[in-house]
Amino acid sequence: MSHLLVSLACHAYGLAALVYLAFLVRQSQVLAITGRVLVGTGLLMHCVALIELLGAQGGRLVGPAQGMSTFAFLLLALFLALDVRYRKPVIGAFLTPLAVAVLLVGMLLHGGPAPLPAAVRQPLLPVHVSIALLGMTAFGVAAGVGVMYLLMERQVKTKHFGLLFARLPSLEFLDTLNRRLVVWGFIALSLTLATGALFVTTAPGIAWNFDGKQLATFVAWGVFAALVNARIFAGWRGRRVALLTMAGFCLVLVSFLSSYDLSAAGPGMP
């Protein structure tokens, strides 16, 4: 049943992506409402599927397909919350296709979740994974906002005021939204590192090995730490902030994908 619900949710998200892309061409309140209804319907089915799946697995996400499915769910849930809050449906044209792509990749992965080693079956693991996914979601939306900022800035700088100029939010709004998302994502990433360190020190037989995942996570934390400090103390904003946000999200994404053996669908260590 959970697979069927996720499949139906994916179809709803795909239709929503088409609607939001159409919104880029022709602004219409009908399209905006239709997109929200489709995303909301998909989220409802997706939520039921995830609850059923977590119940069957003792509340643990133990495979790449489930991790990607949860990331897609959180990404669209955050987008819908922002759309309802700020009434900016055009953001959906940049986020719904990303969520659909992530969900499709997760659905196409073969193999079931591998059993967790006894050493890592600790109550702290679901907390660590949940915080990491929330942080990655905030960074994912911030990266999408960064793309929008770069497109809008190019229109302004070249003074070629095309279709996007009339559709996208203002540069000030995009920069402010990026700042808020990056701050929340940075807090979540910091907590992810803290819980990961605690996990390693309390789990027998587990140690830091500074593999690709850990290295990407530390570098991403450094990028976002520098970005947050530059915003606060040096007044950074605009293009370089958008570019650094996108680079940091790519590092977080590499860390996430490195957490799993995609051929065996088994989890890696923090």
Side-chain angles (χ1 to χ4, degrees):
M1 175 63 75
S2 61
H3 182 77
L4 175 61
L5 287 174
V6 172
S7 179
L8 290 173
C10 188
H11 281 79
Y13 297 151
L15 290 173
L18 293 176
V19 168
Y20 284 119
L21 289 171
F23 187 85
L24 270 178
V25 179
R26 184 173 184 273
Q27 282 190 326
S28 166
Q29 189 66 17
V30 173
L31 289 174
I33 294 174
T34 302
R36 291 180 190 126
V37 170
L38 285 169
V39 171
T41 302
L43 286 173
L44 182 61
M45 293 186 289
H46 203 163
C47 182
V48 173
L50 288 175
I51 291 174
E52 180 182 336
L53 192 62
L54 287 171
Q57 296 177 174
R60 292 180 283 112
L61 295 171
V62 292
Q66 298 157 36
M68 290 182 180
S69 180
T70 304
F71 173 53
F73 172 82
L74 293 173
L75 191 70
L76 288 174
L78 180 54
F79 154 67
L80 188 60
L82 292 173
D83 185 21
V84 172
R85 171 66 177 83
Y86 296 109
R87 300 298 178 182
K88 303 293 185 182
V90 70
I91 300 176
F94 295 85
L95 294 182
T96 50
L98 172 61
V100 171
V102 170
L103 185 56
L104 283 175
V105 170
M107 293 176 67
L108 291 174
L109 287 176
H110 297 288
L116 284 175
V120 301
R121 294 176 191 168
Q122 299 188 39
L124 186 60
L125 181 59
V127 176
H128 172 72
V129 173
S130 298
I131 295 173
L133 284 170
L134 288 172
M136 189 168 70
T137 300
F139 289 139
V141 176
V145 171
V147 172
M148 296 171 66
Y149 186 96
L150 293 177
L151 291 172
M152 188 65 166
E153 187 209 39
R154 181 176 178 81
Q155 298 257 317
V156 173
K157 181 177 285 188
T158 60
K159 298 184 179 179
H160 291 158
F161 303 121
L163 181 66
L164 289 176
F165 183 80
R167 300 289 186 265
L168 297 181
S170 68
L171 291 174
E172 182 180 0
F173 172 83
L174 293 172
D175 188 70
T176 300
L177 183 57
N178 173 279
R179 173 176 54 80
R180 292 173 180 172
L181 289 167
V182 166
V183 167
W184 283 111
F186 177 68
I187 292 172
L189 182 58
S190 299
L191 290 174
T192 299
L193 287 174
T195 55
L198 183 61
F199 185 89
V200 168
T201 56
T202 57
I206 303 298
W208 291 102
N209 54 18
F210 293 100
D211 55 12
K213 173 192 182 302
Q214 294 173 358
L215 182 61
T217 303
F218 280 117
V219 174
W221 186 89
V223 168
F224 285 115
L227 180 54
V228 170
N229 277 278
R231 270 192 174 277
I232 294 174
F233 299 108
W236 277 26
R237 54 181 301 167
R239 179 181 180 82
R240 54 187 171 183
V241 168
L243 289 171
L244 280 174
T245 300
M246 295 162 62
F249 173 64
C250 288
L251 288 169
V252 172
L253 197 57
V254 168
S255 174
F256 170 73
L257 294 176
S258 300
S259 301
Y260 299 103
D261 176 358
L262 297 183
S263 61
M269 281 298 91

